[in-house]
Every structure is written in C-alpha cells, then in structure tokens.
Amino acid sequence: MMGSEAHEKRPPIPTCSKQDISPHSTSVGEMRHYLYGCCTAFTNIAITFPIQKVLFQQQLYGIKIQDAVLQWRRDGFRNLYRGILPLLMQKTTTLALMFGLYEDLSCLLHKHMSAPEFATRGVVAILAGTTEAIFTPLERVQTLLQDHKHHDKFTNTYQAFREHLPTTTIHSALLVNDFICGGVLGAMLGFLFFPVNVVKTHIQSLIGGEFLSFSKVFKTIWREWDRKLTNLFRGAHLNYHWSLISWGITSVTYEFLLKII
C-alpha cells in the first residue's frame, strides 16, 4: 500500500505465443499468471511489511524516522504485523488480477487487433492497473489497524470491517536485472507521488464525520505542517528504499515463477 503502492509498475511485457491464444490451451496454463501474481504479492509483503509500517507512521504524523522507529518499539513485537491481513488480501488479489489480466488482454488484443504495439501495451496496462481500485476498502482497514491510536478499538481485521467500514542468458544475471529494473521504476514513481500518498493515508485514518475531499485534507496538512514542501516528503527516502526492495522482489519473483512453472 502506502507509499508506493498507489502507483504500481506496469507488469512485464507479455510472452503471448500461439499456444497461449490457442483454443486448446489448458485451464492451468491460462491461470498461471494469476497464480504468479498472487505468490509474488505474498512474498513481497511478508518481507517488507515492517519497513512499510515505519513509513506509515511518517506519512500519518509527519515525524522523523527515529521517532517512527521508537513508536514501533513502543507498540511491541506482537503488533509488528498488525494490519498485514487486509494488505495480503488486497495485494494478492490485485496483483493476481493485474498480472493475469495483463497477459490475457494482451493476447486477446494482439489476436484481434492490429494497433501499434505501444498503444496496445498502454491500454492493457491501464485496464489491468485499475483493478486495484476495487479493493480500496481493504487498504482502509489496513490503515486503521496500523495506526497505534486505534489499537484499543480493533482487535483484528474482521472487527474493523464489521464496525467501521461500509460494506541476459545467465539466470542469476537475469534475476539481478529484473530486481534492478522493477525496483528502480517503482521507487522513482513512489518518490514522485509521495505527497499524494501522505494525503491518502490521512483520509483513510479518519473515522466518522463528514466526507473530506482530497484538496481539503491536503490544505489542512499543508497548514499544520508549516507550509513546507520538505515536510510533505518526510519519510520519502524510506519509501524510496522500501519501494526499491518491494518492487525488486515483485519483479524477480514473478519472472522466476514464470520460468520454472
């Protein structure tokens, strides 16, 4: 979520072969990209969630990394992975759909249309990426569970939903290349749009009251954080490194599964 994950990297270029688009393709072959996306998301989140939690504190409260780590220590180890379930539910589903739909739609468009390659890839990437918006409620649950101010209100994901939400040719070299390409792209996008994610985090942390627009929340944050652009990027460096690792793992895991299964 948080940070980078509102601006995800486009899935790898599809390897659509004649066998892929053949009517005799097996159901297992057609579903493998969905499975790869799901496994990729699980691996990524399990490894990087503690880093994301420190980043979350910086986004929500505008504090320095030292203070965010201290808050994490005060919360205790048992709360380290608090909020991971809705994120797992969201990301395993959205990445499965994103990678799977990207492959399926690419093959479909290449079969029935003669549009330029870049146009086809762009359309497919947008269609596949927008699927994540469907699962925004899960991201909101994660935000509520991660905020230490709400620890006494929710004990688990189910309670939060019920009470407060509307219903090269060298293998090793290729892996390194996938990690670098995916990580750098994700990190750059996450850094550029970091203030947007700060506003989103604040909106999702609110309970009850009137609906607040993006612009209104942004103005409030801008005023409370001394009208300094640098304050809006507090935590951006951690987000950059987290995105670098996160999307590096995502790219490597997906490409690895693609080759071995």
Side-chain angles (χ1 to χ4, degrees):
M1 152 186 162
M2 316 310 328
S4 63
E5 296 158 302
H7 308 278
E8 305 280 36
K9 181 176 73 71
R10 179 178 63 80
I13 297 173
T15 54
C16 180
S17 63
K18 291 182 179 179
Q19 182 179 3
D20 292 329
I21 59 178
S22 168
H24 302 291
S25 296
T26 63
S27 58
V28 175
E30 293 170 351
M31 295 299 294
R32 63 193 178 113
H33 296 291
Y34 293 90
L35 178 61
Y36 298 163
C38 182
C39 294
T40 294
F42 186 90
T43 304
N44 172 25
I45 294 167
I47 295 174
T48 65
F49 188 78
I51 301 175
Q52 187 273 334
K53 197 152 190 175
V54 174
L55 171 63
F56 167 81
Q57 297 290 339
Q58 291 190 275
Q59 287 183 325
L60 186 57
Y61 299 112
I63 58 179
K64 297 180 180 180
I65 187 171
Q66 299 94 321
D67 297 325
V69 172
L70 286 176
Q71 181 60 53
W72 171 80
R73 293 180 63 181
R74 284 194 292 267
D75 290 342
F77 181 78
R78 70 186 185 91
N79 287 318
L80 176 60
Y81 278 88
R82 179 182 169 90
I84 194 174
L85 180 58
L87 183 61
L88 282 174
M89 293 168 62
Q90 179 203 12
K91 288 302 179 184
T92 54
T93 304
T94 55
L95 276 190
L97 288 173
M98 189 171 70
F99 282 116
L101 288 176
Y102 185 82
E103 296 291 339
D104 288 346
L105 292 174
S106 295
C107 292
L108 184 64
L109 291 181
H110 278 88
K111 181 180 180 181
H112 297 287
M113 297 179 63
S114 57
E117 185 74 11
F118 74 90
T120 301
R121 292 177 183 175
V123 170
V124 171
I126 292 174
L127 291 175
T130 52
T131 57
E132 186 172 8
I134 302 173
F135 299 93
T136 298
L138 289 171
E139 190 174 25
R140 173 154 162 76
V141 171
Q142 178 208 354
T143 299
L144 294 177
L145 290 174
Q146 281 186 297
D147 190 351
H148 65 89
K149 289 184 177 180
H150 301 320
H151 282 185
D152 59 339
K153 297 185 179 69
F154 315 109
T155 58
N156 51 49
T157 300
Y158 175 75
Q159 186 185 39
F161 260 117
R162 183 169 50 84
E163 295 185 5
H164 293 280
L165 285 183
T167 302
T168 123
T169 60
I170 303 175
H171 184 62
S172 59
L174 290 174
L175 290 179
V176 172
N177 183 64
D178 291 334
F179 185 92
I180 294 175
C181 292
V184 170
L185 180 58
M188 290 176 63
L189 290 175
F191 182 85
L192 290 174
F193 292 95
F194 188 79
V196 176
N197 284 289
V198 170
V199 177
K200 181 191 69 173
T201 300
H202 278 261
I203 293 175
Q204 292 182 331
S205 69
L206 300 175
I207 298 177
E210 64 173 323
F211 173 79
L212 298 178
S213 65
F214 181 93
S215 60
K216 188 171 184 179
V217 175
F218 176 82
K219 291 177 182 177
T220 301
I221 297 173
W222 178 256
R223 183 173 58 254
E224 292 179 351
W225 289 9
D226 300 326
R227 295 180 169 84
K228 293 182 179 179
L229 184 61
T230 53
N231 288 343
L232 291 179
F233 279 91
R234 186 171 287 173
H237 66 292
L238 179 61
N239 179 74
Y240 181 89
H241 291 94
W242 169 70
S243 298
L244 188 67
I245 298 171
S246 175
W247 272 110
I249 293 172
T250 297
S251 298
V252 168
T253 305
Y254 182 81
E255 293 295 339
F256 177 75
L257 293 172
L258 198 64
K259 291 178 175 65
I260 66 172
I261 301 180

